[in-house]
Every structure is written in C-alpha cells, then in structure tokens.
Amino acid sequence: MTIGSKVEATFSKAMDATTINDSTFTLTKPDGPDADTNPDPVSGASAYDPTSNKATLTPNANLDYSTTYTATVKGGANGVKDSAGNPLSADEVWTFTTRALSAPSNLSATRSGSLSNQRIDLTWTDNSSSEAGFVIERSTASGFTTNLVTYKRLANTGSYSDRRLQKKTT
C-alpha cells in the first residue's frame, strides 16, 4: 500500500451509514514517541458508499513509509451495523505495510535540438510507482542559490525536456 492511500472495507451487504464513523472504522500505527506504549491513532475521515457497500477511511496526512498499520472495523453493540440494525458479531481487524519509495537512478542529461532552439533532455529510471512526483530544478548558480527555476511535479515518468533555455548561459 502506498503512503497516500485510503483504507477500504467492503461489506457483503448494505450497512447503516450512520454507524460507520471515526470511532467505528479506525487506523493505528506502532507506538511513537509519546509516553504510553499503545499504538497511535491515525486521524482521518470515514465515509460509506451504499452503491458499492464500501467504507473508506481517508487519513488526514500521508502514512509513514515502511510502516505496518492496523485497520479495525468495530463490531458489537457500539460498532458498525447493517441496514437492518444488526451489529457485526466481532471486530474485523487487518494489517498492511506501506512501501518505501525507491530513489530514481540512471539520470542522464543530453543537450539536443538545433543551435537556435536547444533543449536539455533529462531521462532517468523511475524505480517507484507511488511517488508524489519529481521536482525538476534549474539554476545558473552551481549551489542552486540564485536564479532558481522549479518545474512542476512529474509523477511516474522517466523523462523531461527543458525547452526554456537562455542562449549562451551555463
């Protein structure tokens, strides 16, 4: 599962949407730096789609890389109920582990185009399928401290052509 994913639970029959909320559909991660040793809750919003019988928990922030999370749909009298008012007989609990992103590799920059219309073609190997994007930056200063140009995020790609070059500029 990727860090920007939503957590989903699909039911075999129609559910009472009012019983699917932030206290009956929860997500936790391993204990963090707080004083207790309990798993830490992940804040988010729950929703139910009656057409697909699917509950979705959307975390308020991206999940951590390479972390095992526990999702729980609460059963019992105070838990999720079907459309007839029958509660789940027990909690439904499952775990998943988010993937770590792999850095791109094999970056190549090639000058191409005619003398009057030159460009720099960048290519690389995208070793991950779940990144938010690559940020392409260009500067006339080697430390990227001045004259910095930043291009949009490019996700799930392995190339970019910079056509906005100034003549006779390093």
Side-chain angles (χ1 to χ4, degrees):
M1 184 170 242
T2 60
I3 62 166
S5 295
K6 298 174 183 180
V7 181
E8 298 177 338
T10 303
F11 299 93
S12 61
K13 57 184 170 177
M15 304 303 288
D16 178 353
T18 64
T19 65
I20 299 174
N21 54 56
D22 299 342
S23 64
T24 60
F25 188 12
T26 61
L27 185 63
T28 59
K29 65 180 181 176
D31 185 46
D34 53 8
D36 67 31
T37 58
N38 300 320
D40 292 335
V42 175
S43 61
S46 298
Y48 177 69
D49 177 10
T51 305
S52 63
N53 293 341
K54 187 181 294 185
T56 303
L57 190 153
T58 305
N60 289 340
N62 281 343
L63 303 179
D64 296 332
Y65 295 110
S66 300
T67 301
T68 299
Y69 287 85
T70 301
T72 303
V73 176
K74 186 176 171 80
N78 294 320
V80 173
K81 296 178 176 64
D82 67 17
S83 59
N86 301 309
L88 292 177
S89 60
D91 292 356
E92 184 65 36
V93 180
W94 69 98
T95 62
F96 61 89
T97 302
T98 54
R99 297 186 301 254
L101 290 178
S102 298
S105 59
N106 302 320
L107 175 63
S108 172
T110 306
R111 184 185 69 181
S112 57
S114 66
L115 287 177
S116 63
N117 191 18
Q118 292 200 355
R119 68 181 189 270
I120 297 174
D121 293 327
L122 301 174
T123 60
W124 61 89
T125 302
D126 181 1
N127 296 313
S128 184
S129 62
S130 58
E131 72 273 355
F134 301 108
V135 176
I136 308 296
E137 294 181 326
R138 172 174 45 88
S139 177
T140 56
S142 63
F144 282 77
T145 54
T146 58
N147 300 324
L148 181 66
V149 177
T150 301
Y151 297 103
K152 64 182 177 182
R153 292 180 182 266
L154 305 168
N156 301 315
T157 187
S159 65
Y160 178 76
S161 290
D162 186 347
R163 299 173 189 275
R164 299 178 192 131
L165 306 176
Q166 295 176 350
K167 294 181 183 180
K168 298 182 182 180
T169 303
T170 300

